Amino acid sequence: MRRSRRRVAVRQRGVLSIAKLSTEQSPYYVGTAHGRVDSAQSLGGAEDYYGEAGRAPSAWVGAGARHLGLSGPVSDEGLRRAFAGEHPLHGELLRARRGPQRNAAIDLTFSAPKSVSLLFGLGAPDIEASVRGAHDEAVTAALGYLERRAVRVRRGRNGMRVLPAEGFVAATFRHRASRAGDPQLHTHAVVANMGLGPDGRWTALDARPVYAHAMAAGCLYQAALRARLTAELGVTWAPVCDGLAELDGVPTDVLRAFSRRRVEIEAEVARHGTSGPTATQAAALATRRRKDRNVDAEMLRRDWARRAADLGFDPAGVVGRHRSPTLRRTQVAAIYDYLASSEGLTARRSSFAAPDVVGAIASALPAGLDIDVEGIETLAARFLDSDRVVALASSEERRWSTTELLATERRLVALAQGRRRAGRGVADSEALSHACLGRPSLTDEQRTAVRRLTSEGDGIVVLIGVAGAGKTFALRTCADAWRASGAPVCGAAVARRAARELETGAGIPSTSISALLIQLDDRPLQTGTVLVVDEAGMTGTRALAALAEAVDAADGKLVLVGDDRQLEAIDAGGAFRALARRGPSIQLTQNRRQVHGWERDAAAALRDGDPRAALVAYARHDRITVTHRDEEARQRLISDWIAQGATEDVVMLAHRRRDVADLNLRARRHLRIASRLGIEEARCAAGRIATGDVLIVRQNLPSHDLANGDRGTVRSVDRRGRVVLDVRDTTVELGADVLLGRTHRGEPVLQYGYALTGHSAQGLTARRALVLADPGVGRDWLYTAMTRGRDANQLYLVARLDRDRDEFGPSARAQPDAIEALAAQLERYQSQELALDQLPLRAGRSWPARGRSDLER
């Protein structure tokens, strides 16, 4: 039953960035590609970003391009015409258009690891040629994969029919340097938004499969690059991480020294005190520089050589005589076993798609293995045809799950269904009556829930309560009745903080789920135990199944409490919702937290899947603040926080930790300027701490009785650096070991706690909540965040621009209305489901038919 304390999910980054381009951006792409001084002058001069001493090596690529008779270098007019949906040679309109096209092309950027770029920029001419050839071949191989797997067009009403297309009409541009003048070997593949369908019509591409396969394509590019360089230059590699590996023999300080562009952007972000993708894009645009046309490739190489010599780095030491590793059957089996295990493809989600397998295998193979892209696809196909996985039903994208996870899900569901009315956790009627009499403020709904929980006898029971429904108050009554009837009662939650709130609020001794599972290895539950799991929707399926089996072995009762519409499990989940759907479940539907009736209705609409109605209600009552820049949104949020008292009872919430850290620093600066903090300060890993600071603990500290997520206010600071913190109506003294300590992730143990993430705030109630949204929020996150405040919940949105490629192809075209865009985003949100609930009625083909013969050669 033991569960690993550390689970590493299969993730691949693959170093391929992808972005959509509008027709407005084509003049910049073309002008910078050929060093033209035209409309790009309005941005301070022709940037020559796509140039290499005036002109980037360019080429038409793709089956679609070949069909149109395109080959060789890309001309100015040809690229403009491709962006406009016209034939690049003679301007014939191929793809119908209606006004300016928002999605005129897709930019796929393949970037070599920094160490490979250094070998390219610093190596002897034969080394430079080998690296360049390896890079070009790897890009070609990755684009070939995308053509086989992701080139589609749509037909019929609302594009419901998806058909294969001829291939890409793409222009590639290879570059040797970053804008800061450092070695950075990369290629832009600009794919025109048009494809030739089997009916002979040119129409827009279906971009979804391109995005779905982009990660895999990036990992394939990296694997192909490693294979070629190992075979030709005998190099070795550091471990592959997120699909990428650096060359052995290149020190970290050298990599950093030749990454000035990244350093520039990071410094600009830090200077403004901002964070996040939009802030990074803005910093990239603000710090971009015009390339010096008087600096040619040879001058760059001399500069690089001088800087490398100053650092004591000799690229000749990287090249060796190592042979490409061989792939043994036992290694393939080990990779397959890992991917099918609880730590593999289903560690974080209950299902996966074919590109996930391709990317995972490309990243798991021995670095430098001599295998081509088609060989990796073959390995992926064999895995998907093996008995380790099961094909699931899907309307468009085919998905699979593992037999291991499906077996776990089946055991859990069977336990729930097989222990109905089993007489588990039934309280004595007199004990129940006495417990209810002691709490006259119970609502009728809560009384019904208490009666059912303690009387119906199910071995596994689900209690669903909307945000603010008073679940904890009802559970305290149940716990009293169970204990008075002689049943041991204990509790657990994913986070120790939530477990402590269950203990203090419901009077149920509780711990974290991970600690409980470890404990159960040595000490089983007492017979007849009632185990209450709070925030069960955030608990992974495997953990719930292990708890269910432990409770069943003790002839006990498992009570799963939560809200299936709030934040989901980080691990593969969906079990809580699935058990509730199979029923019977107990419901608490009355939101007693929000003061205003209209806000309770808006929260209910958001929870029940009508985000548009919810956002309209919030906007009607001036609860949505829309700005045009991230910086403005943050300033408005901080200003409102100050105006509303700047107290612990007015909480700021953000989706990403970077944004939370930014808001905390802004809040802290204000308090210092306003003399709201004490003069004496102590040094902390997160900054300076003074009397009055609100802090949050980011690591369990059992010796201080503190849990990850606890918040408190600094009562005092002494000159020896000790801090006294008020937490939960008690005081805790903390010394330098805690103040300067860091978590296993390298984050400060103590951080400012004025702003929180949504996960940190689940279960929290404040007077007001100020919520900063971003493009990554889902309906579960927003519903959780917008129900934290009793008196008011304010949402801050940014009317974002198309800025994915602003650094070299700016666009001023704004997105649709910010509220409408958020509503559309929330409507697309899909919650986790059990793999068991995605099984097809009958077995189907396990790999898309197109290209299968290539895989089997």
Side-chain angles (χ1 to χ4, degrees), residues 417-429:
Q417 294 178 335
R419 300 298 184 266
R420 298 253 176 92
R421 305 290 182 176
R424 306 283 182 89
V426 175
D428 180 78
S429 59

PDB file of all heavy atoms in Angstrom, residues 417-429:
ATOM      1  N   GLN A 417     -19.992   0.282  -4.852  1.00  0.00           N
ATOM      2  CA  GLN A 417     -21.269  -0.334  -5.196  1.00  0.00           C
ATOM      3  C   GLN A 417     -21.556  -1.584  -4.368  1.00  0.00           C
ATOM      4  O   GLN A 417     -22.709  -1.895  -4.081  1.00  0.00           O
ATOM      5  CB  GLN A 417     -21.278  -0.683  -6.685  1.00  0.00           C
ATOM      6  CG  GLN A 417     -21.239   0.549  -7.581  1.00  0.00           C
ATOM      7  CD  GLN A 417     -21.193   0.209  -9.059  1.00  0.00           C
ATOM      8  OE1 GLN A 417     -20.741  -0.866  -9.444  1.00  0.00           O
ATOM      9  NE2 GLN A 417     -21.649   1.130  -9.891  1.00  0.00           N
ATOM     10  N   GLY A 418     -20.504  -2.299  -3.967  1.00  0.00           N
ATOM     11  CA  GLY A 418     -20.701  -3.545  -3.232  1.00  0.00           C
ATOM     12  C   GLY A 418     -20.931  -3.366  -1.755  1.00  0.00           C
ATOM     13  O   GLY A 418     -21.258  -4.336  -1.051  1.00  0.00           O
ATOM     14  N   ARG A 419     -20.749  -2.140  -1.240  1.00  0.00           N
ATOM     15  CA  ARG A 419     -20.948  -1.910   0.197  1.00  0.00           C
ATOM     16  C   ARG A 419     -22.139  -0.991   0.470  1.00  0.00           C
ATOM     17  O   ARG A 419     -22.193  -0.329   1.496  1.00  0.00           O
ATOM     18  CB  ARG A 419     -19.676  -1.306   0.804  1.00  0.00           C
ATOM     19  CG  ARG A 419     -18.438  -2.173   0.658  1.00  0.00           C
ATOM     20  CD  ARG A 419     -18.590  -3.512   1.373  1.00  0.00           C
ATOM     21  NE  ARG A 419     -17.354  -4.292   1.289  1.00  0.00           N
ATOM     22  CZ  ARG A 419     -17.113  -5.198   0.358  1.00  0.00           C
ATOM     23  NH1 ARG A 419     -18.033  -5.447  -0.584  1.00  0.00           N
ATOM     24  NH2 ARG A 419     -15.984  -5.858   0.353  1.00  0.00           N
ATOM     25  N   ARG A 420     -23.077  -0.973  -0.452  1.00  0.00           N
ATOM     26  CA  ARG A 420     -24.301  -0.203  -0.218  1.00  0.00           C
ATOM     27  C   ARG A 420     -25.128  -0.866   0.879  1.00  0.00           C
ATOM     28  O   ARG A 420     -25.253  -2.097   0.927  1.00  0.00           O
ATOM     29  CB  ARG A 420     -25.135  -0.143  -1.499  1.00  0.00           C
ATOM     30  CG  ARG A 420     -24.432   0.567  -2.650  1.00  0.00           C
ATOM     31  CD  ARG A 420     -25.043   1.920  -2.905  1.00  0.00           C
ATOM     32  NE  ARG A 420     -24.309   2.627  -3.952  1.00  0.00           N
ATOM     33  CZ  ARG A 420     -24.626   2.563  -5.239  1.00  0.00           C
ATOM     34  NH1 ARG A 420     -25.639   1.827  -5.636  1.00  0.00           N
ATOM     35  NH2 ARG A 420     -23.930   3.254  -6.124  1.00  0.00           N
ATOM     36  N   ARG A 421     -25.663  -0.029   1.773  1.00  0.00           N
ATOM     37  CA  ARG A 421     -26.524  -0.516   2.863  1.00  0.00           C
ATOM     38  C   ARG A 421     -25.867  -1.675   3.609  1.00  0.00           C
ATOM     39  O   ARG A 421     -26.499  -2.662   3.956  1.00  0.00           O
ATOM     40  CB  ARG A 421     -27.864  -0.978   2.300  1.00  0.00           C
ATOM     41  CG  ARG A 421     -28.589   0.070   1.473  1.00  0.00           C
ATOM     42  CD  ARG A 421     -29.096   1.203   2.328  1.00  0.00           C
ATOM     43  NE  ARG A 421     -29.827   2.197   1.546  1.00  0.00           N
ATOM     44  CZ  ARG A 421     -30.444   3.257   2.090  1.00  0.00           C
ATOM     45  NH1 ARG A 421     -30.403   3.459   3.387  1.00  0.00           N
ATOM     46  NH2 ARG A 421     -31.068   4.124   1.322  1.00  0.00           N
ATOM     47  N   ALA A 422     -24.565  -1.539   3.856  1.00  0.00           N
ATOM     48  CA  ALA A 422     -23.811  -2.625   4.492  1.00  0.00           C
ATOM     49  C   ALA A 422     -23.754  -2.472   6.004  1.00  0.00           C
ATOM     50  O   ALA A 422     -23.042  -3.224   6.674  1.00  0.00           O
ATOM     51  CB  ALA A 422     -22.395  -2.665   3.919  1.00  0.00           C
ATOM     52  N   GLY A 423     -24.482  -1.527   6.552  1.00  0.00           N
ATOM     53  CA  GLY A 423     -24.486  -1.327   7.995  1.00  0.00           C
ATOM     54  C   GLY A 423     -23.214  -0.703   8.528  1.00  0.00           C
ATOM     55  O   GLY A 423     -22.910  -0.825   9.723  1.00  0.00           O
ATOM     56  N   ARG A 424     -22.490  -0.015   7.691  1.00  0.00           N
ATOM     57  CA  ARG A 424     -21.228   0.618   8.102  1.00  0.00           C
ATOM     58  C   ARG A 424     -21.496   2.024   8.660  1.00  0.00           C
ATOM     59  O   ARG A 424     -22.226   2.816   8.064  1.00  0.00           O
ATOM     60  CB  ARG A 424     -20.262   0.726   6.926  1.00  0.00           C
ATOM     61  CG  ARG A 424     -19.974  -0.591   6.198  1.00  0.00           C
ATOM     62  CD  ARG A 424     -19.009  -1.446   6.972  1.00  0.00           C
ATOM     63  NE  ARG A 424     -18.681  -2.679   6.288  1.00  0.00           N
ATOM     64  CZ  ARG A 424     -17.685  -2.824   5.429  1.00  0.00           C
ATOM     65  NH1 ARG A 424     -16.940  -1.805   5.103  1.00  0.00           N
ATOM     66  NH2 ARG A 424     -17.445  -4.009   4.890  1.00  0.00           N
ATOM     67  N   GLY A 425     -20.880   2.343   9.784  1.00  0.00           N
ATOM     68  CA  GLY A 425     -20.957   3.683  10.350  1.00  0.00           C
ATOM     69  C   GLY A 425     -22.351   4.134  10.701  1.00  0.00           C
ATOM     70  O   GLY A 425     -22.681   5.308  10.541  1.00  0.00           O
ATOM     71  N   VAL A 426     -23.188   3.220  11.197  1.00  0.00           N
ATOM     72  CA  VAL A 426     -24.557   3.571  11.601  1.00  0.00           C
ATOM     73  C   VAL A 426     -24.541   4.005  13.060  1.00  0.00           C
ATOM     74  O   VAL A 426     -24.116   3.252  13.944  1.00  0.00           O
ATOM     75  CB  VAL A 426     -25.513   2.385  11.401  1.00  0.00           C
ATOM     76  CG1 VAL A 426     -26.901   2.730  11.928  1.00  0.00           C
ATOM     77  CG2 VAL A 426     -25.572   1.995   9.932  1.00  0.00           C
ATOM     78  N   ALA A 427     -24.995   5.211  13.320  1.00  0.00           N
ATOM     79  CA  ALA A 427     -25.005   5.758  14.677  1.00  0.00           C
ATOM     80  C   ALA A 427     -26.267   5.344  15.412  1.00  0.00           C
ATOM     81  O   ALA A 427     -27.327   5.129  14.797  1.00  0.00           O
ATOM     82  CB  ALA A 427     -24.893   7.272  14.632  1.00  0.00           C
ATOM     83  N   ASP A 428     -26.146   5.261  16.719  1.00  0.00           N
ATOM     84  CA  ASP A 428     -27.309   4.987  17.552  1.00  0.00           C
ATOM     85  C   ASP A 428     -28.291   6.151  17.434  1.00  0.00           C
ATOM     86  O   ASP A 428     -27.896   7.325  17.426  1.00  0.00           O
ATOM     87  CB  ASP A 428     -26.846   4.819  19.006  1.00  0.00           C
ATOM     88  CG  ASP A 428     -27.988   4.540  19.949  1.00  0.00           C
ATOM     89  OD1 ASP A 428     -28.455   3.394  19.984  1.00  0.00           O
ATOM     90  OD2 ASP A 428     -28.408   5.499  20.625  1.00  0.00           O
ATOM     91  N   SER A 429     -29.580   5.833  17.334  1.00  0.00           N
ATOM     92  CA  SER A 429     -30.592   6.873  17.111  1.00  0.00           C
ATOM     93  C   SER A 429     -30.614   7.885  18.253  1.00  0.00           C
ATOM     94  O   SER A 429     -30.801   9.085  18.027  1.00  0.00           O
ATOM     95  CB  SER A 429     -31.976   6.240  16.937  1.00  0.00           C
ATOM     96  OG  SER A 429     -32.324   5.479  18.073  1.00  0.00           O
TER      97      SER A 429
END
